């Protein structure tokens, strides 16, 4: 197995062009299509201009987790909107607020909702304070009891959703980088796995079968080298955006990369299944192109699944590894989910990996014997 | 030493090998001769335990190896028809790779690689990538890889396909030397009659999955001992002339090429006058008329009605 891996590494070093090409294209596409702001760091950035008398809302807005509200002057706000650096901005006044939309996006409604909550809470507090004072009660004590009741709540409520519209958050940078990284990794992995087919045709496989090396080692070495190439590509793409572009991915890049291991394994397994089903490399090239693009479109690599309403496409997305890969990336970078929160997509990917590889190797062996 | 016993192999609707019996003794070179599609490669794959026969048995040292192939696999080196090498590795790296998978290590591996490079004449090209090699050099390395673990039996499936005469000659000499100096047993398949004639002690001739003749070269040529091969050469032919030849009572196996017709006829019958009169009658511009002793090619023609390279 070590020998096969060494041979593969030597081949890779001498011919890294397809790997570099797919890595470069992924970076280029994600770079060109993602917004220029530092997405994925502390929520979606939203510039805020505060008018006189509206200072009270500033701190409450800054406490919002979903968005990164940062204060700017009026000119800067208008400039960022004009230049397309942000989709949406906010102008706070004493009695009302304005949502300024540069480019239409689903975020505008969510931002409005977040600001509305802040205004409602402030107004409610003011009313409670006035009412308490009118009745001769200690206003601070009443407010404190009110805050306590709000924090503790009457019911235990848990919300768990990737696609529920009420909880949906959209970070374009994370979406694009994640989408293109895991989409182009399919090609790198698949073209690694298909070497099994080429080696079989060349007689190399037969030569190894006659040697003392076990067949399981032959498969393991080939699949492991394909996995390493694909995973290395994902690692490079995320690192480029983390170190050069300042996308922080919620400061949890290593966790994202570790949790993407089941995704890369699933693509290796899917590739072995396709390799087992086709008759030659030409057929494989055609099938993998169609499969990868279809998976990316249905799985949400090019656009968020939340804007898809067709039930058939949504159903198909649930059997699509790209959807689960993106769930992991967005779950960590946008929603701040923990490892245990993301056990579901990781488990589904692991299950797919076991199924595809089991079926793929079985079919390949069966056909070989025939 | 190694036997195929009543072997048949069916691929879906095609029966590639039919009831083949074959034995190979230690130290001999056995040839498997036949045209493309004769079933040679299938027979070789069964012999080297790469595919299982539909029926029959493969025995090595009198023990069946179909279910337990490892004793035979340790003893054989297989030279496949394809160039089974990593093109982006050098000659030396390919040998090191295959040496390692045969569990050769350290100084022993290096020594073996050096010996093989010397034997196949690629010492000076050891660092060059295989993709830069000529067809002949690739074929030589293909053989070298199969010899790396010092096998007792070398099984070669058309090892000279598509190479220049010089490289072919080098390969044939190498095989001959391996057999004579190292007493290596060789199974050699080819559709080049002259290679098998030069190298082999015994020959099996296959056609369309059937074994049609076997024995030493002399025994096989004896099949045509009572017949001669007649070669007629002319600038062009016409159909009526060929038809008349085929209908002649003493002529068999008429094989037509562009400027030569070969046919087989009994030794005791003199056909010269008949053939000359036929050429005059059909206005054939006769250039020459030869009578030859039968070759393996003629035997094949006699047995199948087709030339080896048809």
């Amino acid at each position: 197995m070590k020998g096969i891996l060494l041979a593969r590494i030597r081949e890779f070093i001498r011919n890294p062009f397809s790997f570099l090409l797919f890595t470069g294209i992924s970076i280029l596409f994600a770079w060109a299509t993602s917004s220029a702001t530092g997405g994925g760091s502390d929520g979606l950035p939203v510039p805020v201009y505060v008018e006189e008398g509206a200072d009270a809302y500033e701190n409450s807005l800054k406490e919002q987790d979903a968005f990164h509200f940062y204060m700017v002057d009026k000119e800067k706000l208008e400039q960022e909107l004009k230049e397309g650096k942000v989709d949406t901005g906010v102008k706070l006044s004493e009695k009302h607020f304005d949502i300024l939309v540069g480019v239409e996006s689903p975020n505008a409604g969510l931002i409005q909702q977040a600001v509305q909550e802040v205004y409602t809470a402030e107004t409610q507090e003011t009313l409670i304070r006035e009412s308490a004072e009118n009745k001769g009660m200690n206003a601070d004590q009443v407010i404190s009891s009110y805050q306590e009741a709000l924090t503790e709540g009457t019911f235990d409520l848990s919300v768990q959703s990737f696609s529920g519209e009420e909880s949906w958050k959209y970070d374009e940078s994370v979406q694009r980088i994640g989408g293109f990284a895991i989409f182009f990794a399919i090609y790198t992995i698949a073209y690694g796995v298909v070497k099994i087919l080429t080696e079989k045709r060349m007689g190399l496989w037969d030569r190894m079968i006659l040697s003392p090396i076990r067949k399981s080692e032959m498969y393991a070495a080939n699949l492991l080298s394909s996995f390493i190439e694909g995973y290395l590509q994902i690692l490079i793409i995320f690192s480029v955006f983390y170190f050069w572009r300042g996308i922080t991915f919620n400061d949890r890049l290593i966790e994202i990369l570790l949790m993407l291991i089941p995704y890369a394994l699933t693509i290796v397994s899917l590739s072995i299944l396709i390799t087992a089903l086709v008759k030659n490399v030409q057929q494989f090239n055609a099938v993998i192109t169609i499969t990868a693009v279809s998976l990316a479109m249905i799985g949400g690599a090019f656009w968020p699944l939340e804007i898809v309403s067709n039930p058939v496409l949504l159903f198909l997305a649930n059997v699509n590894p790209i959807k689960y890969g993106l769930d992991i990336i967005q779950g960590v970078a946008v929603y701040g989910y923990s490892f245990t929160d993301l056990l579901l997509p990781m488990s589904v990917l692991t299950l797919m990996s076991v199924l595809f590889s089991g079926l793929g190797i079985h079919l390949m062996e069966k056909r070989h014997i025939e | 030493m190694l036997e195929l016993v009543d072997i048949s192999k069916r691929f879906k609707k095609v029966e590639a090998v039919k009831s083949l019996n074959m034995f190979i003794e230690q130290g001999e070179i056995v040839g498997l001769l036949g045209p493309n599609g004769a079933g040679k490669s299938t027979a070789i794959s069964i012999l080297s335990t790469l595919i299982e026969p539909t029926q029959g048995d493969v025995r090595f040292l009198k023990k069946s190896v179909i279910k337990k192939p490892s004793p035979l696999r340790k003893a054989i080196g297989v030279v496949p028809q394809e160039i089974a090498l990593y093109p982006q590795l050098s000659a030396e790296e390919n040998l090191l790779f295959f040496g390692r998978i045969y569990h050769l290590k350290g100084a022993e591996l290096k020594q073996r690689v050096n010996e093989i490079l010397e034997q196949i004449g690629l010492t000076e090209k050891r660092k060059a990538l295989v993709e830069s090699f000529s067809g002949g050099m690739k074929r030589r390395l293909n053989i070298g890889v199969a010899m790396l673990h010092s096998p007792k039996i070398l099984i070669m499936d058309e090892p000279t396909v598509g190479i220049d005469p010089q490289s072919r000659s080098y390969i044939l000499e190498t095989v001959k030397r391996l057999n004579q100096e190292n007493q290596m047993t060789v199974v050699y398949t080819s559709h080049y009659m002259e290679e098998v004639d030069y190298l082999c002690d015994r020959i099996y001739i296959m056609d369309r999955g059937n074994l049609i003749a076997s024995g030493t070269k002399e025994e096989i040529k004896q099949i045509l001992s009572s017949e001669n091969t007649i070669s007629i050469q002319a600038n062009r032919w016409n159909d009526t002339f060929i038809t008349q030849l085929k209908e002649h009572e003493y002529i068999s196996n008429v094989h037509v090429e562009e400027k030569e017709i070969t046919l087989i006829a009994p030794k005791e019958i003199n056909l010269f006058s008949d053939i000359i009169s036929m050429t005059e009658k059909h206005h054939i511009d006769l250039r020459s008329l030869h009578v030859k002793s039968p070759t393996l090619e003629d035997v094949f023609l006699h047995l199948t009605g087709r030339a080896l390279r048809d």
Side-chain angles (χ1 to χ4, degrees):
Chain A
M1 182 168 153
K2 201 173 126 192
I4 300 175
L5 271 177
L6 279 174
R8 276 295 183 87
I9 291 167
R10 279 210 180 92
E11 276 197 312
F12 174 72
I13 291 167
R14 286 185 188 149
N15 190 13
F17 306 111
S18 61
F19 173 84
L20 293 176
L21 181 74
F22 288 127
T23 309
I25 289 175
S26 318
I27 294 170
L28 194 73
F29 274 46
W31 199 295
T33 55
S34 62
S35 68
T37 54
S41 50
D42 304 308
L44 189 73
V46 182
V48 180
Y49 166 61
V50 185
E51 282 188 342
E52 214 169 303
D55 300 340
Y57 305 115
E58 191 179 320
N59 286 337
S60 304
L61 269 185
K62 281 182 180 170
E63 284 167 12
Q64 292 278 321
D65 292 332
F67 301 99
H68 170 53
F69 291 104
Y70 58 99
M71 305 308 144
V72 291
D73 56 34
K74 198 176 177 182
E75 287 72 30
K76 175 91 172 155
L77 173 64
E78 286 171 356
Q79 190 191 348
E80 286 197 1
L81 282 167
K82 271 183 195 165
E83 289 175 359
K85 286 185 177 173
V86 290
D87 297 340
T88 313
V90 181
K91 193 171 96 180
L92 302 180
S93 306
E94 191 181 353
K95 298 286 182 193
H96 70 279
F97 63 88
D98 295 304
I99 302 294
L100 309 174
V101 179
V103 180
E104 272 193 40
S105 85
N107 293 321
L110 295 170
I111 293 167
Q112 182 178 357
Q113 199 179 334
V115 181
Q116 181 71 55
E117 277 173 19
V118 170
Y119 267 73
T120 308
E122 285 292 329
T123 312
Q124 209 149 12
E125 257 190 59
T126 311
L127 288 173
I128 291 169
R129 189 177 290 278
E130 280 173 8
S131 176
E133 281 168 359
N134 287 341
K135 289 181 179 174
M137 295 168 78
N138 184 339
D140 288 337
Q141 204 174 356
V142 174
I143 292 292
S144 167
S145 305
Y146 167 68
Q147 294 285 10
E148 202 174 310
L150 276 182
T151 315
E152 288 181 0
T154 314
F155 305 105
D156 284 335
L157 180 68
S158 74
V159 178
Q160 188 180 357
S161 168
F162 275 104
S163 56
E165 284 181 17
E166 283 152 354
S167 62
W168 178 40
K169 284 190 269 180
Y170 179 64
D171 185 325
E172 194 181 13
S173 298
V174 172
Q175 164 77 27
R176 301 287 187 208
I177 297 161
F180 284 118
I182 63 175
F183 167 58
F184 280 106
I186 296 177
Y187 290 102
T188 301
I189 291 171
Y191 289 131
V193 173
V194 79
K195 283 181 186 166
I196 292 177
L197 209 61
T198 318
E199 287 180 0
K200 279 191 170 183
R201 189 177 48 79
M202 288 169 72
L204 278 161
W205 202 258
D206 281 348
R207 211 160 220 176
M208 286 188 258
I209 287 169
L210 292 173
S211 76
I213 197 169
R214 286 194 298 271
K215 222 174 207 179
S216 56
E217 289 180 85
M218 289 158 62
Y219 276 113
N222 275 290
L223 300 184
L224 184 61
S225 66
S226 307
F227 166 80
I228 291 170
E229 280 182 36
Y231 193 67
L232 182 66
Q233 181 176 315
I234 293 174
L235 194 142
I236 290 172
I237 295 165
F238 275 90
S239 301
V240 163
F241 283 94
Y242 181 78
F243 290 110
W244 287 0
R245 189 78 185 268
I247 310 282
T248 59
F249 301 104
N250 219 359
D251 288 326
R252 291 170 66 192
L253 178 65
I254 293 171
E255 282 174 76
I256 293 175
L257 291 172
L258 286 175
M259 283 192 256
L260 279 177
I261 289 175
Y263 171 78
L265 287 173
T266 306
I267 299 303
V268 170
S269 306
L270 181 66
S271 304
I272 191 102
L273 178 60
I274 295 172
T275 306
L277 292 171
V278 297
K279 284 181 181 163
N280 52 48
V281 179
Q282 288 75 18
Q283 267 187 18
F284 180 87
N285 290 341
V287 171
I288 199 67
T289 307
I290 295 165
T291 308
V293 173
S294 310
L295 287 177
M297 288 167 81
I298 294 168
F302 301 150
W303 48 76
L305 276 181
E306 283 77 2
I307 64 168
V308 178
S309 55
N310 185 314
V312 178
L313 292 178
L314 287 171
F315 169 77
L316 288 174
N318 287 321
V319 287
N320 185 332
I322 284 200
K323 179 207 181 269
Y324 296 103
L326 281 169
D327 279 354
I328 290 168
I329 296 166
Q330 290 181 323
V332 178
V334 181
Y335 294 88
Y337 288 166
S338 66
F339 179 83
T340 43
D341 291 333
L342 292 165
L343 272 178
L344 178 69
M346 284 192 283
S347 306
V348 175
L349 285 171
T350 309
L351 181 69
M352 282 182 180
S353 178
V354 172
L355 278 176
F356 293 159
S357 58
L359 196 59
I361 292 172
H362 174 75
L363 284 174
M364 203 175 264
E365 285 302 298
K366 197 179 164 198
R367 219 172 59 177
H368 182 67
I369 290 164
E370 280 173 358
Chain B
M1 186 184 193
L2 183 56
E3 284 174 278
L4 291 183
V5 184
D6 204 21
I7 289 290
S8 295
K9 180 66 187 176
R10 176 176 282 280
F11 296 102
K12 291 181 181 166
K13 288 179 181 173
V14 180
E15 195 160 17
V17 174
K18 301 166 193 167
S19 301
L20 174 65
N21 286 286
M22 208 175 150
F23 69 92
I24 296 129
E25 295 296 349
Q26 191 168 358
E28 65 176 351
I29 304 182
V30 174
L32 191 51
L33 188 66
N36 290 328
K40 304 187 299 290
S41 291
T42 306
I44 285 292
S45 294
I46 294 171
L47 194 65
S48 50
T49 71
L50 278 170
I51 56 174
E52 283 186 24
T54 314
Q55 174 186 309
D57 198 8
V58 182
R59 290 180 196 153
F60 176 57
L61 301 174
K62 302 197 186 302
K63 286 182 183 166
S64 175
V65 288
I66 288 178
K67 295 295 169 200
K68 288 183 180 172
S70 57
L72 177 58
R73 285 182 178 178
K74 280 179 196 162
I76 58 172
V78 176
V79 181
Q81 203 176 120
E82 308 85 10
I83 304 291
L85 302 166
Y86 286 100
Q88 277 160 358
L89 300 187
S90 68
E92 185 177 33
E93 285 166 347
N94 265 286
L95 289 168
L96 286 170
F97 168 75
F98 286 105
R100 279 191 197 107
I101 67 170
Y102 273 97
H103 300 159
L104 296 173
K105 285 177 192 164
E108 186 194 7
L109 175 62
K110 279 184 186 166
Q111 188 195 335
R112 214 39 215 138
V113 167
N114 289 336
E115 284 170 8
I116 295 291
L117 284 168
E118 188 67 36
Q119 277 179 326
I120 59 176
L122 289 176
T123 304
E124 286 177 10
K125 292 278 184 184
R126 63 193 304 154
K127 299 284 181 198
L129 298 188
V130 169
E131 64 184 359
S132 69
F133 279 12
S134 68
M137 285 156 77
K138 284 178 188 167
R139 288 272 166 208
R140 274 143 66 185
L141 185 59
N142 211 26
I143 296 170
V145 167
M147 300 190 312
L148 203 54
H149 60 292
S150 311
K152 289 186 181 125
I153 306 167
L154 191 61
I155 298 174
M156 310 177 88
D157 190 3
E158 309 220 17
T160 58
V161 168
I163 58 170
D164 57 283
Q166 203 178 352
S167 293
R168 172 177 293 162
S169 166
Y170 192 98
I171 288 172
L172 296 180
E173 288 310 317
T174 306
V175 174
K176 195 101 181 164
R177 200 175 59 242
L178 282 168
N179 173 255
Q180 286 170 350
E181 292 174 7
N182 306 347
Q183 282 72 52
M184 189 181 272
T185 308
V186 180
V187 180
Y188 192 97
T189 82
S190 180
H191 61 267
Y192 295 112
M193 175 272 300
E194 60 276 16
E195 288 182 1
V196 175
D197 202 2
Y198 172 71
L199 281 177
C200 301
D201 305 310
R202 286 190 306 113
I203 298 163
Y204 289 84
I205 301 179
M206 287 185 77
D207 186 45
R208 292 175 177 154
N210 293 301
L211 181 66
I212 54 172
S214 65
T216 61
K217 280 180 282 191
E218 292 69 30
E219 282 169 348
I220 287 180
K221 285 175 187 171
Q222 202 63 30
I223 294 171
L224 287 180
S225 60
S226 59
E227 284 161 314
N228 274 330
T229 301
I230 299 174
S231 159
I232 313 165
Q233 292 186 324
N235 280 339
R236 60 187 180 83
W237 315 108
N238 62 45
D239 291 344
T240 48
F241 171 71
I242 292 165
T243 309
Q244 198 175 353
L245 276 180
K246 284 180 177 172
E247 285 171 355
H248 195 284
E249 61 180 315
Y250 293 115
I251 293 175
S252 61
N253 303 110
V254 178
H255 180 70
V256 184
E257 287 178 11
E258 195 185 344
K259 291 186 176 178
E260 185 180 21
I261 291 179
T262 48
L263 51 89
I264 291 166
K267 270 185 178 166
E268 66 274 14
I269 307 290
N270 186 346
L271 287 174
F272 272 37
S273 54
D274 284 12
I275 291 170
I276 289 166
S277 66
M278 274 192 259
T279 55
E280 283 168 356
K281 184 180 166 192
H282 295 284
H283 309 291
I284 302 292
D285 182 16
L286 186 66
R287 295 288 181 197
S288 68
L289 193 58
H290 296 286
V291 177
K292 302 186 290 188
S293 293
T295 62
L296 288 174
E297 182 93 38
D298 299 326
V299 175
F300 188 81
L301 185 67
H302 172 74
L303 293 170
T304 66
R306 296 185 297 130
L308 260 173
R309 281 162 231 179
D310 276 355

